[in-house]
Amino acid sequence: MASIQKAYIWRMPVFIQSPRFVIRDFKPEEQPLFLELFDDELVTQHLPRRTRKENIEIFRTALQDYAEGKALGRWGIFNNSDGDFIGNCLLRNFYDEPGKIELGYVLRQKYWGRGIASEMAQIMITYGFVHTDTAEIVAVTTLGNIASQKVLQKAGMIRRENLNRSGEELAYFSISAPLTR
């Protein structure tokens, strides 16, 4: 872990600030915050089931991605007014269709319904188009996750034909890169 911390110090971290929150690299000591997010059954009801060990590995992979200077990854979202942990967001290669980038996010319940997810999604879409050469950013939700579907539409994504991933039918959204890139 010491090598990750040292590399983290030297790398220019992702830091995107809006009037209400900041999106930034996680610090190694924030692993408990990250893990606690996945202890809430309502928060995880529309997510793939993962063990605590798998979530620890996901967090460590995020730290390693920072150390390697990768443009894609997973970041924490924190409230500007008090530093409270809101949740996390990610941009990753979309494994169903190479060349596309997938947007994902998870917010603590107390931040639902405040417009934070839509604002974060718009910011991350812009970040994805600026920092990669992808022509399309996509997102998927369970069919029952109507709130996330509304978030993605507010962020400018368009609902496409449903997608089947690992035997589950999912709502599929996409947005193309602006023509003036």
Side-chain angles (χ1 to χ4, degrees):
M1 190 66 141
S3 64
I4 291 174
Q5 288 175 336
K6 183 176 180 184
Y8 179 84
I9 292 168
W10 294 105
R11 179 186 166 272
M12 179 63 138
V14 170
F15 187 89
I16 304 167
Q17 186 141 8
S18 83
R20 298 191 294 164
F21 57 84
V22 63
I23 298 169
R24 64 165 173 78
D25 291 0
F26 279 107
K27 297 174 185 173
E29 62 270 17
E30 292 170 335
Q31 179 177 309
L33 287 176
F34 177 81
L35 294 174
E36 183 181 294
L37 180 62
F38 300 99
D39 290 339
D40 184 326
E41 289 184 21
L42 280 177
V43 168
T44 61
Q45 72 180 338
H46 296 289
L47 299 176
R49 296 289 175 217
R50 293 196 174 98
T51 65
R52 189 164 190 83
K53 184 177 178 180
E54 288 170 321
N55 283 324
I56 289 169
E57 187 55 37
I58 288 169
F59 186 84
R60 289 181 180 164
T61 297
L63 297 180
Q64 188 62 43
D65 288 346
Y66 306 153
E68 293 173 8
K70 294 184 178 179
L72 301 180
R74 185 178 307 265
W75 301 279
I77 308 167
F78 295 85
N79 188 324
N80 278 340
S81 65
D82 60 7
D84 193 35
F85 178 57
I86 294 172
N88 75 79
C89 58
L90 68 85
L91 289 174
R92 65 180 174 198
N93 290 312
F94 188 55
Y95 56 88
D96 294 299
E97 297 181 45
K100 295 180 181 181
I101 302 232
E102 182 176 10
L103 167 69
Y105 59 91
V106 182
L107 302 183
R108 292 173 58 204
Q109 276 189 68
K110 75 184 214 177
Y111 290 101
W112 293 359
R114 296 185 183 188
I116 291 171
S118 296
E119 184 180 347
M120 172 281 310
Q122 291 169 341
I123 289 167
M124 295 313 296
I125 288 167
T126 300
Y127 174 91
F129 286 135
V130 168
H131 293 282
T132 72
D133 61 359
T134 191
E136 190 172 11
I137 295 178
V138 302
V140 297
T141 72
T142 60
L143 295 180
N145 193 347
I146 304 303
S148 278
Q149 292 171 31
K150 288 178 181 177
V151 162
L152 298 172
Q153 289 172 325
K154 285 179 187 175
M157 299 186 93
I158 298 168
R159 175 83 184 257
R160 306 294 184 189
E161 187 175 323
N162 289 350
L163 173 79
N164 190 307
R165 180 188 279 173
S166 303
E168 181 180 17
E169 188 174 4
L170 300 169
Y172 180 72
F173 294 81
S174 71
I175 187 169
S176 297
L179 295 176
T180 57
R181 277 180 44 164

